[in-house]
Amino acid sequence: MFKCRAEGGRVPVGDDVFSVTTSSKYEVDYLGQSTKGDLNLKLDPLHSFGSGQATLEGPIEEVARTEAQAAENLIRELGIQGPFSAQHSPRGIFCSRTLNLRSISVIGYDMDYTLMHYNVMAWEGRAYDYCMENLKNMGFPVDGLSFDPELVIRGLMIDKETGNLVKADRFGYVQRAMHGTNMLSNKAVSEIYGRELTDLRNQSRWEFLNTFFSVSEAVAYAQMVDRLDDGSISADLGTLNYKGLYKAVAKALFRAHVEGQLKSEIMSKPELFVEPDPELPLALLDQKEAGKKLLLITNSDYHYTDKMMKHSFNKFLPNDMDWRDLFDMVIVSARKPEFFQMSHPLYEVVTGEGLMRPCFKAETGGLYSGGSAQMVESSLNVHGDEILYVGDHIYTDVSVSKVHLRWRTALICRELEEEYMALICSRGHREELIELINQKEVVGDLFNQLRLALQRRSKGRPAQTLAATNLADQELTETMQKLLIVMQRLDEKIGLMLESDGELFNKRWGFLSRAGLWDKSHLMRQIEKYADIYTSRVSNFLNYTPFMYFRSQEQSLAHDSPLPDAAMEN
């Protein structure tokens, strides 16, 4: 590492040495990212540093290796964790589309399940309880039912026409399905969905489980499908089909939220429902001190937001800071996704009791209700890819802000931590499974060649070669019989192993990000399409610094496999 000395022996630091690329002087780098926020050397080009007169001349590859090693040694001596150690861990930040965090001027955050993580069993369990109480009051039979979050995972779809929950791959083909609370066989899945694709644009049929908030609704619906099928639901409720049943469950859960009993209970005892993250406020503090403007944009109302943020943040902030001190603007009751699509009246919250007055322009430091994303851009004089929005809802937070405003986006998915560890623990299982499938492919290819020889022989035509044509019938038949038995036994073992693949994450649905052994789930496709980066929790930014350049990985293609030597020679 080096120090460059100015006249008089003083070592220039900070602003004496560096300047920051401004929004009026930025360029675009070779990966298409803005250079705004990058540091530049103020001093004249330097040829030597320190007392050893070490130079930066020579082949840049060698210089880069040398200086990187020296810097890495210094970081290690200082006891600072580098980003590469966090990158390959359950708490890594994973990049779908290259993002230069230095060029981001504004970072907006959702609150629920983003800045604040709830205990799912506690929060969604109480939501489920209120939902069931409302269903009981409507006349539905709910006795004997209890909340079971293992029934569903994020990324499933409710098929309101059939009473099924399904998991689809990235193309929309259904890979697994559950009718009520009973998993369907592969044959049943093929019979029901073999000729159609899931289509989230058809909202009258499909409901996507975007977030943890969807868990209580999906569990309640699956259980009530069982009650509808076994005839337990009274005829007094009228003729109900699966779609009508979904409307009833959704209405019961909506009432639980709107009537306020659930949130009042949570506000009275937040320690029972919230899992505070001591590192999270510090991550936001780093971003703020790096010059980022921080926003809180939440659909929750002012009273709930203030109570929960105080509980989760204030005790971890330094110097008696309040959670409001972190944010340059707070917007409650935002009405996302409409917040990103259209304009609503803006109100300023002017008292601690939540009294509001109409407002026509938002100012830095303000607390507001309603408004729109366009208003935020105008007030802060920023647009599009200068803003990063962080949320847990793949549609309301990530997709809409990306599609309508071209904001950069980050998805928070707490389940990634559990899935990451489950994938590591499943590595041996999956390697064995892949080896069996490869064996089946080899045996199958050999069998198919003999089958073709038999087919040509039965039609009175020569086989592929003279030797194959002259092969004795008995040897041909016996060889095919043996291979067929081998394939059947391989299929039996592969089938059982495929069924158990992913059960360390969820016994019914397997891994969150995968559909089958090879393919990505529909949820993972949505994440890749709309989230520039994704991670398990906001505090993971603490390991990456506010200046991180996230670079997406090379995407593999089916024809990327190395060519055999013979093909290379040709």
Side-chain angles (χ1 to χ4, degrees), residues 240-254:
L240 269 181
N241 56 18
Y242 297 121
K243 187 175 291 188
L245 181 63
Y246 174 79
K247 289 180 180 178
V249 172
K251 180 180 178 181
L253 186 61
F254 181 73

Side-chain angles (χ1 to χ4, degrees), residues 99-123:
L99 170 66
N100 180 6
L101 206 56
R102 298 188 291 273
S103 70
I104 296 297
S105 302
V106 176
I107 305 179
Y109 286 100
D110 173 48
M111 184 180 73
D112 298 309
Y113 283 121
T114 300
L115 290 181
M116 188 176 312
H117 185 71
Y118 298 105
N119 180 306
V120 176
M121 192 66 191
W123 209 109

Side-chain angles (χ1 to χ4, degrees), residues 256-475:
H257 287 284
V258 170
E259 291 175 354
Q261 292 174 288
L262 177 58
K263 285 196 172 181
S264 294
E265 181 178 342
I266 294 168
M267 289 170 66
S268 67
K269 296 181 178 179
E271 66 278 2
L272 300 182
F273 297 92
V274 178
E275 297 179 355
D277 185 344
E279 296 178 332
L280 197 157
L282 303 180
L284 267 58
L285 196 58
D286 276 348
Q287 294 172 354
K288 185 175 182 65
E289 291 174 346
K292 315 293 186 189
K293 294 184 183 298
L294 302 186
L295 313 179
L296 174 60
I297 305 174
T298 175
N299 283 354
S300 293
D301 61 57
Y302 166 70
H303 292 291
Y304 185 80
T305 300
D306 185 55
K307 176 72 174 180
M308 304 309 286
M309 290 294 288
K310 280 181 178 176
H311 172 78
S312 299
F313 274 67
N314 284 10
K315 57 189 171 185
F316 302 120
L317 288 170
N319 306 322
D320 296 322
M321 283 182 67
D322 182 72
W323 72 269
R324 285 280 310 278
D325 298 327
L326 283 172
F327 296 95
D328 295 87
M329 189 179 295
V330 174
I331 301 172
V332 299
S333 303
R335 297 177 66 179
K336 296 176 295 181
E338 292 180 2
F339 180 85
F340 298 114
Q341 299 168 301
M342 58 187 71
S343 181
H344 288 291
L346 178 68
Y347 298 90
E348 182 181 10
V349 181
V350 292
T351 69
E353 291 71 36
L355 183 66
M356 297 186 293
R357 64 185 177 194
C359 180
F360 299 100
K361 184 179 180 182
E363 302 288 346
T364 299
L367 170 61
Y368 302 98
S369 175
S372 68
Q374 290 86 350
M375 173 271 299
V376 170
E377 292 183 338
S378 176
S379 299
L380 300 178
N381 194 29
V382 292
H383 302 281
D385 60 6
E386 294 178 275
I387 306 173
L388 173 68
Y389 190 68
V390 186
D392 71 294
H393 197 294
I394 190 66
Y395 177 72
T396 298
D397 294 323
V398 173
S399 171
V400 181
S401 61
K402 168 73 69 179
V403 170
H404 289 271
L405 299 164
R406 294 296 184 264
W407 286 10
R408 306 308 299 270
T409 52
L411 182 79
I412 300 301
C413 182
R414 181 62 72 98
E415 306 98 302
L416 283 172
E417 294 179 17
E418 184 181 349
E419 169 150 309
Y420 189 98
M421 296 309 299
L423 281 166
I424 290 177
C425 293
S426 302
R427 190 172 291 164
H429 174 91
R430 292 173 69 83
E431 288 175 352
E432 181 184 353
L433 181 52
I434 290 170
E435 183 178 350
L436 287 172
I437 291 175
N438 288 338
Q439 284 182 330
K440 166 68 186 301
E441 184 176 352
V442 170
V443 174
D445 287 344
L446 297 172
F447 178 83
N448 291 337
Q449 290 293 342
L450 296 177
R451 183 178 179 181
L452 180 60
L454 180 62
Q455 173 184 300
R456 290 183 178 180
R457 177 175 299 190
S458 66
K459 298 298 182 182
R461 296 195 301 116
Q464 299 94 314
T465 65
L466 180 61
T469 303
N470 295 331
L471 182 66
D473 289 344
Q474 182 177 354
E475 184 176 358

Side-chain angles (χ1 to χ4, degrees), residues 36-289:
K36 185 171 72 70
D38 285 2
L39 280 186
N40 306 289
L41 281 173
K42 265 186 178 180
L43 305 177
D44 292 335
L46 305 172
H47 298 286
S48 61
F49 306 94
S51 58
Q53 301 295 311
T55 70
L56 295 181
E57 297 177 351
I60 187 56
E61 297 86 354
E62 296 179 10
V63 173
R65 278 193 294 269
T66 300
E67 293 302 317
Q69 186 61 58
E72 186 176 341
N73 292 339
L74 176 61
I75 291 293
R76 189 181 299 113
E77 290 171 8
L78 297 174
I80 299 174
Q81 178 176 306
F84 297 108
S85 58
Q87 185 175 350
H88 301 290
S89 78
R91 295 189 57 180
I93 296 180
F94 309 103
C95 182
S96 302
R97 180 188 172 212
T98 298
L99 170 66
N100 180 6
L101 206 56
R102 298 188 291 273
S103 70
I104 296 297
S105 302
V106 176
I107 305 179
Y109 286 100
D110 173 48
M111 184 180 73
D112 298 309
Y113 283 121
T114 300
L115 290 181
M116 188 176 312
H117 185 71
Y118 298 105
N119 180 306
V120 176
M121 192 66 191
W123 209 109
E124 295 304 315
R126 290 304 289 145
Y128 170 90
D129 291 341
Y130 280 109
C131 175
M132 285 305 188
E133 185 65 28
N134 289 334
L135 284 172
K136 184 177 182 179
N137 293 336
M138 295 162 63
F140 285 91
V142 301
D143 292 341
L145 298 178
S146 60
F147 181 57
D148 181 5
E150 293 299 312
L151 277 176
V152 301
I153 60 174
R154 190 199 305 231
L156 301 182
M157 303 177 206
I158 296 176
D159 183 351
K160 291 178 275 190
E161 289 187 0
T162 64
N164 297 340
L165 275 86
V166 306
K167 182 180 183 181
D169 63 19
R170 60 187 166 130
F171 302 108
Y173 291 101
V174 174
Q175 299 295 319
R176 297 190 187 190
M178 180 174 76
H179 181 75
T181 61
N182 300 300
M183 296 301 294
L184 298 179
S185 67
N186 290 335
K187 182 179 179 181
V189 171
S190 178
E191 289 174 349
I192 298 171
Y193 298 108
R195 294 178 177 270
E196 62 181 321
L197 300 176
T198 57
D199 184 0
L200 295 178
R201 294 171 298 182
N202 183 0
Q203 296 181 8
S204 66
R205 178 173 183 181
W206 302 102
E207 188 72 24
F208 192 61
L209 307 190
N210 284 288
T211 174
F212 276 130
F213 282 132
S214 306
V215 171
S216 52
E217 179 181 77
V219 171
Y221 179 65
Q223 293 173 338
M224 295 312 297
V225 166
D226 288 345
R227 295 289 164 99
L228 180 62
D229 288 344
D230 66 20
S232 299
I233 296 179
S234 172
D236 295 339
L237 292 173
T239 303
L240 269 181
N241 56 18
Y242 297 121
K243 187 175 291 188
L245 181 63
Y246 174 79
K247 289 180 180 178
V249 172
K251 180 180 178 181
L253 186 61
F254 181 73
R255 283 182 57 192
H257 287 284
V258 170
E259 291 175 354
Q261 292 174 288
L262 177 58
K263 285 196 172 181
S264 294
E265 181 178 342
I266 294 168
M267 289 170 66
S268 67
K269 296 181 178 179
E271 66 278 2
L272 300 182
F273 297 92
V274 178
E275 297 179 355
D277 185 344
E279 296 178 332
L280 197 157
L282 303 180
L284 267 58
L285 196 58
D286 276 348
Q287 294 172 354
K288 185 175 182 65
E289 291 174 346

